[in-house]
Amino acid sequence: MTDLTDRTILVTGASSGIGLAIVQRLAATGARVIAHANTNPDGARRAVASFPSGRAHVVQADLGDPAGAGRLWEHAEAWAGRIDVVVLNAAIMPRIELDDTDERWQTVMEQALQVNTLSQLTLIRRALAHFAEHDGGTIVGLSSWVTQRGSGHANLVAYAASKAATAAAIKTIARTHADRNVLAYLIAPGAVDTGMSATASADRGGRDEFLRALAMGEMVPPEEIAELVALLVSGRVRHLSGATLDINGASYIR
């Protein structure tokens, strides 16, 4: 059992998929959790349903709004007082063809960069300022194998570019803040069995065809990623700070 008693963890994108699995995994650890959602706060409430009273809090915020990440942090800090860990899971995966109109290209790129990069950097900056007052903390970024190898489909270029930018920022924080007791990790999943992957598989001939391209013939269960998050935030593997941890069932080995 992972003991995270008296640690407070903010998890973004907690209403479904990986984020929901992370929050549910943390319920038995003794941690306090702030579960963020945007359009589906009921999903985040389901995620925290098994927490003892007063140990979990749901915050609704739109990370597509330039002011949304700041408001999320302010609400989270007001409820928690101290935040020890930030898990940056929220993301969007917009699709855009390279030969689409200039207007739509600009719109989609701005959306991807706002949610997947700029809002993440706002939360990182707020977290670092907070950690400086509380003797350190931990950041876990949910990255993607596309930041290492690129996407296999050109219409995910906005997603790949925005996720890669955030990954580079988190690596930079790991290097430059290690002497300040700040730990920063990246988890780079491959194809995870979530609604986002279901959308992506539609471009590749459907689920069955998509699975045939994976070494194990199956997607990564979100629960395995949640287990990895629990390990990283436990403090038992501090010297993994700065690492990018691949979890893709041997479909991409580097």
Side-chain angles (χ1 to χ4, degrees):
M1 295 290 290
T2 302
D3 185 2
L4 300 174
T5 301
D6 297 327
R7 304 199 79 196
T8 301
I9 302 171
L10 168 62
V11 181
T12 67
S15 61
S16 63
I18 295 171
L20 182 145
I22 291 169
V23 170
Q24 291 179 328
R25 171 64 182 87
L26 295 174
T29 66
R32 294 196 304 165
V33 169
I34 303 152
H36 157 259
N38 178 23
T39 59
N40 183 21
D42 287 342
R45 293 185 188 101
R46 286 192 294 272
V48 303
S50 59
F51 278 75
S53 178
R55 303 294 297 180
H57 183 63
V58 173
V59 177
Q60 188 172 4
D62 180 7
L63 299 185
D65 178 347
R71 286 196 291 264
L72 166 59
W73 184 268
E74 289 163 7
H75 284 294
E77 191 175 33
W79 179 78
R82 175 170 177 172
I83 298 171
D84 302 285
V85 179
V86 179
V87 181
L88 299 172
N89 169 69
I92 58 172
M93 187 187 282
R95 291 182 286 182
I96 181 72
E97 300 297 341
L98 293 170
D99 61 356
D100 213 320
T101 65
D102 290 347
E103 182 179 6
R104 185 162 187 277
W105 172 267
Q106 186 69 23
T107 297
V108 170
M109 285 301 302
E110 287 177 359
Q111 289 173 341
L113 289 169
Q114 182 59 59
V115 176
N116 297 347
T117 307
L118 298 177
S119 286
Q120 311 304 318
L121 292 175
T122 295
L123 290 171
I124 289 169
R125 290 181 66 243
R126 294 295 187 95
L128 291 176
H130 183 80
F131 294 164
E133 298 176 355
H134 296 284
D135 193 30
T138 300
I139 296 169
V140 180
L142 269 295
S143 187
S144 170
W145 60 354
V146 303
T147 69
Q148 308 296 331
R149 66 173 198 166
S151 175
H153 203 295
N155 70 7
L156 292 182
V157 64
Y159 174 72
S162 57
K163 293 290 281 187
T166 301
I170 291 173
K171 292 176 187 178
T172 300
I173 297 309
R175 295 189 65 188
T176 59
H177 286 66
D179 62 349
R180 306 176 204 183
N181 199 30
V182 174
L183 308 176
Y185 309 94
L186 282 165
I187 298 174
V192 184
D193 201 1
T194 64
M196 188 176 283
S197 289
T199 300
S201 67
D203 286 335
R204 293 155 179 78
R207 182 181 176 90
D208 291 343
E209 187 66 25
F210 191 50
L211 293 178
R212 277 192 283 272
L214 302 176
M216 289 185 176
E218 61 187 37
M219 297 188 198
V220 180
E223 292 76 17
E224 290 192 15
I225 298 172
E227 195 63 41
L228 183 53
V229 169
L231 172 64
L232 293 176
V233 305
S234 71
R236 300 200 306 269
V237 287
R238 293 179 66 254
H239 286 83
L240 274 176
S241 187
T244 299
L245 305 173
D246 296 321
I247 179 165
N248 58 59
S251 291
Y252 173 59
I253 298 174
R254 59 188 174 96

